[in-house]
Amino acid sequence: MCSFSIRKSPNSSFIFPKFAPLLVRHCLTLPSLVPILKPPRFRVVASLSGTSWVSQASKEKYGGWALIEDEAPLPHWKSKKKWRNVVITGVGSSLSSRPIVSAASSTIDAATVSPPQSQILSTRRSLLSGETTASEIAKSYLSRIRLTEPQLKCFLHISENVLKDAQEIDARIARGEELGPLAGVFIGVKDNICTEGMPSTAASRILEHYRPPFDATAVKKIKELGGIVVGKTNMDEFGMGSTTEASAFQVTANPWDLTRVPGGSSGGSAAAVAARQCMVSLGSDTGGSVRQPASFCGVVGLKPTYGRVSRFGLMAYASSLDVIGCFGSTVADAGMLLHAISGYDRFDSTSSKQDVPEFQSQFLSVDSFESKPLKGVKVGLIRETLEEGVDCGVRSATQEAASHLEALGCLVTEVSLPSFSLGLPAYYVIASSESSSNLSRYDGVRYGNQVMAEELNKLYECSRGEGFGGEVKMRILMGTYALSAGYYDAYYKRAQQVRTIIRKDFKAALDQNDILISPAAPSAAYKIGEKKDDPLAMYAGDIMTVNVNLAGLPAIVLPCGLVEGGPSGLPVGLQIIGAAFDEEKLLKVSHIFEQTLKGSSFVPPLLPNVA
Amino acid sequence: MATRAFLAVISSSPNRCFITPRMIKNQASAFSSSSSSSALQFQRHSRKPHRISRSFSSETNSSVLQPPDISSLAKTARISLTPAEIEEYEPKIRQVIDWFGQLQQVDVNSVEPAIRADMEGGNLREDAPETFENRDSIRASIPSFDEAYLKVPKVLNKE
């Protein structure tokens, strides 16, 4: 019996906050601003230097773009008026006399909210047309980070070179040189991915001041294509956790409700994209660590096929399960980032030599869609994911998503994966075992924090005892147990055999269907501290995602609805699973789904009391 | 649904093992000898316990293996734990290992263990050394460094 109610706005079938259209047009997308005429109901939380209507005090306190917060329902005159998206050029610390350029206009009406636009493509357009410069965009992002970080705590480290990198892009544009596909794109990188010269700690004290001497292959590719690394995002220590509470340094808050977790282990990356502190970000997914936080934070999380992206430079947690994944505010952004980082790498022998198709051709404009753009696509809804134990809000959002797919022409049937429930224990056996081996390299001798002792074993024991957090130590001990002589057959080998069974079940289901769908998590974001003391309750939240890692398949999570909770509801995500190396189909279906989803735009409410 | 499965596991009594005194003695000797020896001896002893455990799995269900001994596991894993930590982790680890026990119920006869998901053969690169340019950065990360050597304290044989 569900005790919540779904608020329906006239033309949409999903919960949608009344004043969210306003948020859609402003604030958390690229340089878009409040109009000069400051209505009394709006509180400017950051001032734009150079405009006369902002108080001197706030001008000095903040620099850069203005964010607005609407605490009241829209007055009647606003709903009739057309808003203008304004892009301010020439932001500086002194008064600027450059004119305000109107970029676009739209009406605020829940039913006609335009589908989310790719930030990568719109950045490229504005840079090439001269509408704005990379340095201006950089300043806006840096000031937004400065404003929102005290509450959100998404980042462990902000790069010192953001402005410098942006200026380089501007210089390239001025010289008329060709720009890479990620030029001017601001990217957050999860802290377990090595970035040369920038601290990369995997959110652990044992690597507290460690600066890698090399870039991970994924980061190297991003830089080669013009992307700008904004900073390193918070995470659960070494990827072990589902809430980002297990970080040794700070707990990240969910931008939708500051008392709730953003999910884990890539919570910082997801929250940073949700709060528009960066455009896209990299995370890692071993058991759902990209997909579950994407669901909790209302952003798109894309997990590629195992072997699609090189793991060189990703600090290993479970080598047979780890992949690097992408976050974006739209499917197109996540897909374009994935394309940039994919490909065979000679430094990773598990990376695949399969061709990386051109994903961009899937991201057509909604205007060019036929009436039933997904006609003939067979979708399997996994029966075991909608049984008891899943929140009814999540269940109904998933069923609504299935209806939406049917409306687009898909043939949706229920499929059963009988081995589904075995995935969770098998995953935790494999992950603990492999991580106990992978984390043995952190011994305080060649890098990281060292606790000096009289004897070598003592040095290992003390460095690791003091450097690792509680969850990490527990998992290493569990893994050590499972791999001990006499126990290997009973645990690790058995789990490997269960992995074969699960792979076969998925393959059979994907032979009959093009894609499979399920919720991304059994509930929306929990409160901070809710699951901290009960490991099994924490592990239970991964039920929807671990099987996909065991089978090595690609999957995407995109927001499909809101459930009750927090100031404006909490997002829930739909997980779409594809066949191995078939990211193209996955992106095609999810892009069309996203672009045709009526009446919802997943932009979290701005932080109260920021000013 | 898996969540129902957990609740069933958690609520049932923690020790569903059917352990005979002989089994305990064999396992205890195998476990303690392997955990206290050096790595080399570890391998030498490993054959015997494998044979023992195989006979177990056919006649018993759930976890018949000895429950985890946190202190000796910590020694194997080279992690020092305070008594407070041992007290905190022991019940949690025991709970999770018991939960792992449900894998024993699965019929895995003639199922090949999968090392990982993909089936591509190892794409190995040529075994030829390459010079890494940024050696200074590597040196900068080393906690105790002296000229060309990493400094470590003396190595004592295990008692």
Side-chain angles (χ1 to χ4, degrees):
Chain A
M1 180 62 185
C2 302
S3 57
F4 74 98
S5 60
I6 302 181
R7 289 171 287 160
K8 293 194 180 224
S9 44
N11 292 312
S12 72
S13 38
F14 299 85
I15 298 176
F16 190 51
K18 255 198 280 188
F19 35 84
L22 191 67
L23 302 174
V24 170
R25 305 309 331 162
H26 302 282
C27 343
L28 300 187
T29 55
L30 255 203
S32 70
L33 275 196
V34 63
I36 285 298
L37 205 61
K38 177 182 162 224
R41 285 188 190 271
F42 289 87
R43 179 166 54 135
V44 176
V45 297
S47 71
L48 173 65
S49 33
T51 53
S52 55
W53 49 269
V54 169
S55 74
Q56 192 62 32
S58 44
K59 233 192 286 183
E60 275 151 16
K61 197 172 171 194
Y62 310 108
W65 308 107
L67 303 172
I68 58 165
E69 181 183 357
D70 183 7
E71 293 163 307
L74 292 169
H76 67 279
W77 59 270
K78 259 185 212 124
S79 51
K80 289 184 191 140
K81 213 173 177 157
K82 278 186 188 273
W83 283 110
R84 279 190 311 207
N85 260 351
V86 288
V87 175
I88 297 229
T89 56
V91 174
S93 52
S94 55
L95 276 173
S96 166
S97 56
R98 300 244 308 261
I100 296 167
V101 174
S102 166
S105 61
S106 69
T107 46
I108 325 163
D109 183 3
T112 61
V113 166
S114 20
Q117 299 300 313
S118 160
Q119 289 189 54
I120 295 179
L121 291 178
S122 54
T123 305
R124 197 181 176 76
R125 263 198 303 270
S126 347
L127 286 178
L128 289 176
S129 67
E131 230 173 275
T132 181
T133 65
S135 311
E136 283 157 17
I137 305 176
K139 286 192 196 119
S140 83
Y141 274 97
L142 287 174
S143 77
R144 187 175 294 130
I145 291 175
R146 231 179 327 195
L147 272 172
T148 51
E149 264 300 276
Q151 268 92 339
L152 289 180
K153 302 205 185 71
C154 301
F155 282 93
L156 289 174
H157 175 83
I158 308 277
S159 165
E160 293 116 19
N161 297 327
V162 178
L163 281 177
K164 187 160 107 3
D165 293 339
Q167 279 155 9
E168 243 174 75
I169 300 276
D170 287 335
R172 283 237 213 106
I173 300 177
R175 289 197 294 263
E177 283 174 23
E178 200 175 312
L179 292 180
L182 292 181
V185 176
F186 292 85
I187 304 174
V189 175
K190 188 174 178 184
D191 208 23
N192 62 354
I193 299 174
C194 288
T195 43
E196 188 182 340
M198 255 195 264
S200 304
T201 65
S204 177
R205 291 230 177 266
I206 206 167
L207 286 178
E208 194 167 350
H209 303 292
Y210 175 63
R211 287 181 192 247
F214 66 101
D215 275 328
T217 301
V219 173
K220 188 157 144 282
K221 288 187 170 180
I222 283 174
K223 288 186 181 173
E224 279 167 2
L225 297 175
I228 297 171
V229 175
V230 170
K232 307 305 293 297
T233 57
N234 197 20
M235 51 182 283
D236 281 305
E237 197 175 344
F238 285 110
M240 301 185 186
S242 312
T243 57
T244 312
E245 294 169 303
S247 164
F249 302 115
Q250 60 203 34
V251 178
T252 302
N254 192 321
W256 287 80
D257 179 349
L258 299 176
T259 63
R260 291 180 191 256
V261 297
S265 56
S266 315
S269 290
V273 171
R276 305 303 192 266
Q277 293 179 330
C278 55
M279 294 182 196
V280 288
S281 63
L282 288 181
S284 71
D285 191 314
T286 306
S289 297
V290 159
R291 291 162 286 150
Q292 186 243 46
S295 173
F296 281 12
C297 292
V299 295
V300 175
L302 175 55
K303 173 208 175 289
T305 314
Y306 181 86
R308 180 59 99 186
V309 179
S310 166
R311 288 183 297 114
F312 181 70
L314 169 67
M315 295 184 197
Y317 162 19
S319 312
S320 70
L321 301 167
D322 287 343
V323 293
I324 293 183
C326 309
F327 287 101
S329 52
T330 59
V331 173
D333 281 343
M336 283 188 270
L337 182 60
L338 177 66
H339 186 265
I341 61 176
S342 300
Y344 173 66
D345 179 21
R346 67 193 187 97
F347 291 124
D348 177 1
S349 67
T350 60
S351 73
S352 168
K353 285 192 165 149
Q354 288 231 21
D355 279 330
V356 185
E358 193 55 59
F359 297 146
Q360 193 137 339
S361 53
Q362 303 302 330
F363 305 133
L364 303 167
S365 161
V366 64
D367 308 315
S368 66
F369 291 170
E370 302 159 352
S371 64
K372 291 218 179 253
L374 292 177
K375 186 153 171 219
V377 173
K378 287 184 281 184
V379 175
L381 176 55
I382 303 175
R383 179 184 307 145
E384 287 82 4
T385 61
L386 292 179
E387 290 173 353
E388 222 178 275
V390 182
D391 255 22
C392 36
V394 170
R395 253 185 283 166
S396 51
T398 309
Q399 273 149 354
E400 298 230 22
S403 320
H404 180 59
L405 284 170
E406 271 178 336
L408 291 169
C410 294
L411 184 62
V412 181
T413 51
E414 238 184 35
V415 299
S416 173
L417 296 174
S419 58
F420 194 79
S421 60
L422 292 174
L424 209 49
Y427 164 79
Y428 274 101
V429 170
I430 294 176
S432 314
S433 306
E434 294 186 5
S435 66
S436 74
S437 179
N438 277 325
L439 266 65
S440 61
R441 71 193 66 186
Y442 303 108
D443 54 13
V445 175
R446 289 152 298 154
Y447 41 72
N449 276 348
Q450 182 185 81
V451 176
M452 196 31 108
E454 284 172 359
E455 194 261 325
L456 185 61
N457 276 322
K458 211 92 193 94
L459 182 143
Y460 292 155
E461 287 172 5
C462 296
S463 304
R464 288 158 65 83
E466 288 183 34
F468 287 144
E471 181 65 29
V472 171
K473 282 195 270 208
M474 277 201 284
R475 294 215 195 172
I476 292 178
L477 293 175
M478 288 192 265
T480 309
Y481 175 75
L483 288 176
S484 314
Y487 300 78
Y488 173 90
D489 277 1
Y491 291 113
Y492 190 65
K493 185 164 167 226
R494 232 162 217 276
Q496 303 276 50
Q497 289 169 312
V498 169
R499 193 206 312 244
T500 308
I501 298 174
I502 291 175
R503 247 183 58 218
K504 286 201 182 126
D505 274 2
F506 266 94
K507 190 156 184 309
L510 284 166
D511 282 338
Q512 305 297 319
N513 295 279
D514 291 299
I515 54 170
L516 303 175
I517 60 172
S518 81
S523 70
Y526 349 105
K527 291 270 186 194
I528 293 177
E530 200 182 304
K531 310 264 174 182
K532 226 172 159 188
D533 290 317
D534 187 353
L536 285 182
M538 179 87 87
Y539 298 170
D542 294 335
I543 182 67
M544 309 289 182
T545 47
V546 292
N547 287 293
V548 177
N549 293 85
L550 287 168
L553 300 173
I556 192 169
V557 164
L558 60 161
C560 67
L562 293 169
V563 297
E564 233 168 58
S568 313
L570 297 171
V572 295
L574 176 74
Q575 174 176 231
I576 308 180
I577 305 164
F581 296 103
D582 200 8
E583 286 90 354
E584 227 177 337
K585 194 177 289 171
L586 213 54
L587 289 169
K588 172 183 173 183
V589 173
S590 42
H591 173 70
I592 294 175
F593 179 97
E594 171 198 66
Q595 297 286 307
T596 52
L597 199 60
K598 288 279 179 285
S600 27
S601 190
F602 293 92
V603 178
L606 288 175
L607 309 175
N609 309 316
V610 174
Chain B
M1 184 63 194
T3 45
R4 261 189 298 189
F6 306 143
L7 297 173
V9 170
I10 299 168
S11 59
S12 65
S13 79
N15 221 342
R16 291 165 298 143
C17 313
F18 299 93
I19 302 179
T20 68
R22 198 183 113 251
M23 289 186 204
I24 293 178
K25 204 169 123 225
N26 279 339
Q27 274 298 331
S29 62
F31 192 64
S32 58
S33 62
S34 50
S35 63
S36 60
S37 338
S38 65
L40 209 59
Q41 290 174 302
F42 205 89
Q43 282 160 6
R44 246 191 280 147
H45 284 160
S46 64
R47 288 194 98 212
K48 205 168 160 203
H50 274 163
R51 267 187 267 131
I52 297 172
S53 68
R54 243 179 262 140
S55 68
F56 284 164
S57 47
S58 56
E59 58 185 87
T60 53
N61 54 356
S62 62
S63 101
V64 287
L65 306 157
Q66 193 165 50
D69 174 5
I70 305 297
S71 326
S72 55
L73 286 178
K75 271 209 125 42
T76 310
R78 300 285 190 270
I79 297 181
S80 73
L81 293 176
T82 64
E85 280 175 333
I86 297 184
E87 215 183 290
E88 192 197 327
Y89 299 160
E90 186 140 24
K92 290 184 186 174
I93 293 181
R94 217 163 268 241
Q95 195 187 39
V96 176
I97 302 259
D98 275 346
W99 172 62
F100 286 167
Q102 68 182 276
L103 289 179
Q104 311 298 328
Q105 318 283 8
V106 184
D107 176 19
V108 290
N109 256 324
S110 70
V111 177
E112 270 302 302
I115 305 175
R116 55 173 175 269
D118 71 351
M119 284 291 98
E120 263 178 64
N123 294 314
L124 303 172
R125 67 179 197 264
E126 202 192 305
D127 188 11
E130 297 171 27
T131 316
F132 182 70
E133 299 90 29
N134 201 357
R135 301 176 82 180
D136 291 328
S137 184
I138 298 181
R139 261 188 227 117
S141 305
I142 301 175
S144 303
F145 184 71
D146 189 1
E147 304 214 10
Y149 301 97
L150 282 75
K151 275 176 24 181
V152 293
K154 60 180 180 283
V155 185
L156 289 177
N157 282 322
K158 278 223 124 163
E159 61 288 338

